Amino acid sequence: MIQKPNNIIISDSRRPVWHLLIAAACYTCVVVLLYTFFANFRFGESLSKMKSISGMLQSAIVLTGVAVRFSMQTNIVFDIDNNRYKKQYAISRITFGRWKDFKSLDYISVFKYKAYEYQVSLWYDRNQHWKIVSYEDKKAAINQGMLLADKFGIGVWDSTVANNGKWIA
């Protein structure tokens, strides 16, 4: 989590190395395929040659999608002063996303999701929420919830024991 003067950014962790390796291999293949396509493209060629060359272009398009998926990182940026947020997508230093308004940030909830998983969620506009992070350790989830609640200036609802929720901050 990164805090700028008026913004709070909740970020995915960095991509695993193997994701980046797959993305790099796909981007490399795209460059090679596009180079081969444009080097072999000639107007007036036979239809069979055009079909084989167009296969390279189709493969480059598919590999570009795979590469983007393996290299993209998602962040949620909150501008508390202006009551807005944006889900921001980033590939390297290139980012995009739209600001959306929210009425209020209500509370942070920590609850047991599965047998060994605790989720921390941010509730806003009465019934909307974002899953912020998951932990296997209950104490780590509660600590993260408390940290976020302190940054946002809201309360924490502890629902780690079924049917026994309580406010802890």
Side-chain angles (χ1 to χ4, degrees), residues 90-154:
I91 300 171
S92 184
R93 299 280 182 213
I94 301 168
T95 62
F96 53 95
R98 283 188 9 216
W99 287 105
K100 297 179 183 175
D101 295 330
F102 62 83
K103 293 178 185 126
S104 65
L105 295 176
D106 298 330
Y107 61 93
I108 300 286
S109 68
V110 180
F111 64 97
K112 190 171 188 174
Y113 180 65
K114 293 180 180 174
Y116 296 102
E117 183 178 352
Y118 296 91
Q119 285 188 355
V120 179
S121 297
L122 172 63
W123 290 81
Y124 68 101
D125 292 345
R126 296 189 61 191
N127 63 351
Q128 304 292 317
H129 72 280
W130 287 290
K131 176 187 152 203
I132 303 296
V133 70
S134 294
Y135 288 97
E136 291 180 3
D137 180 39
K138 176 181 174 179
K139 188 173 184 174
I142 289 175
N143 287 341
Q144 183 65 44
M146 298 288 281
L147 176 70
L148 287 170
D150 183 50
K151 297 286 183 193
F152 286 119
I154 53 179

Side-chain angles (χ1 to χ4, degrees), residues 6-167:
N6 298 326
N7 294 343
I8 296 175
I9 301 171
I10 299 173
S11 176
D12 284 347
S13 60
R14 295 178 58 123
R15 300 302 289 193
V17 173
W18 67 273
H19 279 206
L20 298 177
L21 291 174
I22 290 172
C26 289
Y27 284 127
T28 303
C29 289
V30 166
V31 168
V32 169
L33 286 168
L34 289 175
Y35 174 78
T36 306
F37 173 77
F38 287 113
N40 293 319
F41 183 79
R42 306 274 185 274
F43 286 106
E45 291 285 341
S46 67
L47 187 58
S48 63
K49 178 141 180 159
M50 292 298 282
K51 283 184 180 180
S52 67
I53 292 174
S54 70
M56 285 186 246
L57 187 59
Q58 291 171 350
S59 297
I61 291 169
V62 169
L63 284 174
T64 300
V66 172
V68 165
R69 179 67 186 106
F70 275 99
S71 60
M72 186 168 34
Q73 184 176 5
T74 306
N75 305 316
I76 301 173
V77 181
F78 291 93
D79 182 357
I80 302 301
D81 294 339
N82 297 314
N83 282 351
R84 61 187 187 157
Y85 72 93
K86 78 174 163 181
K87 193 167 189 179
Q88 178 177 310
Y89 301 97
I91 300 171
S92 184
R93 299 280 182 213
I94 301 168
T95 62
F96 53 95
R98 283 188 9 216
W99 287 105
K100 297 179 183 175
D101 295 330
F102 62 83
K103 293 178 185 126
S104 65
L105 295 176
D106 298 330
Y107 61 93
I108 300 286
S109 68
V110 180
F111 64 97
K112 190 171 188 174
Y113 180 65
K114 293 180 180 174
Y116 296 102
E117 183 178 352
Y118 296 91
Q119 285 188 355
V120 179
S121 297
L122 172 63
W123 290 81
Y124 68 101
D125 292 345
R126 296 189 61 191
N127 63 351
Q128 304 292 317
H129 72 280
W130 287 290
K131 176 187 152 203
I132 303 296
V133 70
S134 294
Y135 288 97
E136 291 180 3
D137 180 39
K138 176 181 174 179
K139 188 173 184 174
I142 289 175
N143 287 341
Q144 183 65 44
M146 298 288 281
L147 176 70
L148 287 170
D150 183 50
K151 297 286 183 193
F152 286 119
I154 53 179
V156 178
W157 178 255
D158 179 4
S159 182
T160 55
V161 178
N163 300 322
N164 193 18
K166 61 184 180 260
W167 292 102

